[in-house]
Amino acid sequence: MQTLLQAAALVPASIPSPDWSGFDIPLPWGTLRIHAYALCILAGIVVGLWLTSVRWAKRGAPEGSVWDIVVWAIPFGIIGGRLYHVVSSPDAYFGPGFDGTGDLSLIPQIQRGGLGIWGAVVLGVVGAWIGCRRSGVKLSAFLDAAAPGLLLAQAVGRWGNYFNQELFGGPTTLPWGLQIDADNPNFPAGVAADTLFHPTFLYESLWNLAGVVILLALDRKFSFRRSRLFWLYAMYYTLGRVWIEAMRIDDAEQISLFGITTRLNVWTSIFVFLAALVAFILLGLKKPADAESPYLPGREPAEKQHEAAVTGHDDSVRDADPVVSDSESRDNLPDNQSGSRPDSVPTEEASAAPAGVKPGQDATAAGHSGSTATGAAPEAGTSK
């Protein structure tokens, strides 16, 4: 018992505040500061791209196309995320009530933190669409492949808030409460220096990691297509974001709707969830395809186009056979009665004649007795 008590005493009763937030690289004209926040974002992009590239390759996408897409999606996503953050938390940039006391030079300084996921996703999808069009692949197929990778990237990138000591929740006495340095600009005024706070960055990171496992399992079982997995990702993420966002105490734009005043991100999460739910249901009502190609129509490789053409010819032959009746066959083959026939027909019928029948003498009889079988093939061939 004493050993257990000693071990319990060694377990920290809280999550300590970070004592490291980056490092400096000396340069001839000064130093370059590498922020831990930026490293977390970069690490999230790397692991998200890894998972996306693996899933994209398994869907038969052209080799290397994932990089052609993300080279557009990532810059667009970063710009969109920053713009959304500036709009949703404008005081630092424009001053309270847009009174002009803010600092506009802070807007491009993303290393200080501040990327809104909704702006990142919206403009990131726009960038992905550009990349997909240039690569000749479907945006919907890429979004399905990328959905679990997006959650994984967010799970890792969210740790940047820990190193910046920002976006934490309200005070708590839970053993996993987060320490924040009392001299940090984000420390709330009028609160005791030893106060612990909810580590909302950790809650969201764990929620997202669980979502990666859930999305992969569901996709393996149901093989979602037409961007349905992406909309499932949006529903899952917003479901967690509502309660996590409601716990935060940082300054944010407040919106009043339906008699309720709460943070802009909460309302955004609710509306995105509802929109994603509607899209998921409507796309599910469409008849699923047997095998959805990731390529845009007409952009398949030459060998795939040839294979599709051959398959389409075979299907047309199979479809024509059932609708040609015996009477239609005989009516459409008058040459069998008169003995005059295209040059190619006797060769085919002669090769199909029963043993003991001479092609030269009895081809007409053999063709007449087998009119149902042989008469349908020429009819289908002329209609392709």
Side-chain angles (χ1 to χ4, degrees):
M1 177 62 72
Q2 184 177 0
T3 303
L4 292 176
L5 292 176
Q6 291 176 347
L10 296 176
V11 177
S14 62
I15 300 175
S17 60
D19 54 6
W20 177 83
S21 61
F23 60 92
D24 295 319
I25 299 178
L27 298 173
W29 55 85
T31 59
L32 175 63
R33 180 68 176 175
I34 304 298
H35 292 263
Y37 178 89
L39 294 177
C40 290
I41 297 296
L42 180 61
I45 291 174
V46 170
V47 296
L49 279 179
W50 166 77
L51 181 57
T52 299
S53 62
V54 171
R55 289 173 48 79
W56 189 230
K58 289 182 178 179
R59 297 196 174 213
E63 184 178 358
S65 61
V66 66
W67 307 109
D68 297 331
I69 297 171
V70 299
V71 75
W72 290 90
I74 292 176
F76 272 64
I78 293 175
I79 294 172
R82 187 59 173 176
L83 290 177
Y84 182 88
H85 168 75
V86 171
V87 171
S88 61
S89 302
D91 289 358
Y93 313 101
F94 304 101
F98 296 89
D99 60 5
T101 60
D103 187 357
L104 294 178
S105 67
L106 295 176
I107 293 178
Q109 299 182 36
I110 61 174
Q111 72 274 9
R112 295 176 177 267
L115 290 174
I117 183 61
W118 308 123
V121 169
V122 170
L123 275 193
V125 169
V126 173
W129 175 79
I130 296 175
C132 287
R133 297 292 296 184
R134 293 171 64 91
S135 300
V137 295
K138 297 177 182 176
L139 175 63
S140 60
F142 180 76
L143 291 179
D144 282 336
L150 277 173
L151 268 184
L152 183 59
Q154 291 172 238
V156 176
R158 184 54 71 183
W159 280 81
N161 298 141
Y162 168 70
F163 290 103
N164 274 6
Q165 300 191 52
E166 61 182 0
L167 304 184
F168 44 84
T172 182
T173 57
L174 294 171
W176 56 80
L178 175 65
Q179 297 178 13
I180 299 295
D181 294 334
D183 59 351
N184 188 285
N186 295 320
F187 195 90
V191 178
D194 59 349
T195 302
L196 301 179
F197 302 90
H198 279 287
T200 50
F201 81 91
L202 180 61
Y203 299 161
E204 186 169 331
S205 182
L206 294 176
W207 177 267
N208 291 345
L209 287 175
V212 173
V213 176
I214 293 173
L215 289 183
L216 290 175
L218 290 176
D219 192 41
R220 184 174 182 179
K221 181 175 179 61
F222 298 104
S223 298
F224 290 112
R225 294 294 186 271
R226 299 188 304 277
S227 75
R228 294 189 76 205
L229 190 68
F230 174 79
W231 292 114
L232 196 61
Y233 144 79
M235 283 190 288
Y236 177 86
Y237 178 73
T238 53
L239 190 63
R241 188 63 185 267
V242 167
W243 63 269
I244 294 173
E245 188 72 28
M247 298 176 68
R248 291 177 176 167
I249 59 174
D250 55 286
D251 294 334
E253 193 76 7
Q254 301 290 317
I255 301 296
S256 297
L257 291 174
F258 312 111
I260 302 174
T261 301
T262 187
R263 298 162 68 94
L264 171 62
N265 285 336
V266 173
W267 287 119
T268 303
S269 299
I270 293 173
F271 290 134
V272 171
F273 176 87
L274 294 176
L277 177 61
V278 171
F280 181 82
I281 294 175
L282 292 179
L283 290 170
L285 296 178
K286 294 184 178 180
K287 184 179 179 180
D290 294 335
E292 181 182 343
S293 169
Y295 293 91
L296 289 170
R299 300 292 295 273
E300 299 89 348
E303 60 272 13
K304 290 185 176 293
Q305 292 183 9
H306 175 71
E307 180 182 348
V310 172
T311 304
H313 173 72
D314 290 342
D315 290 342
S316 65
V317 173
R318 286 194 298 269
D319 292 342
D321 285 342
V323 301
V324 180
S325 64
D326 292 348
S327 60
E328 289 173 333
S329 303
R330 288 189 289 269
D331 292 341
N332 292 331
L333 295 175
D335 292 337
N336 285 349
Q337 305 290 339
S338 62
S340 61
R341 213 185 322 266
D343 294 340
S344 59
V345 176
T347 304
E348 296 173 0
E349 293 183 351
S351 62
V357 178
K358 296 181 180 181
Q361 297 176 355
D362 299 325
T364 304
H368 180 72
S369 62
S371 60
T372 302
T374 60
E379 178 69 15
T382 58
S383 62
K384 70 177 180 179

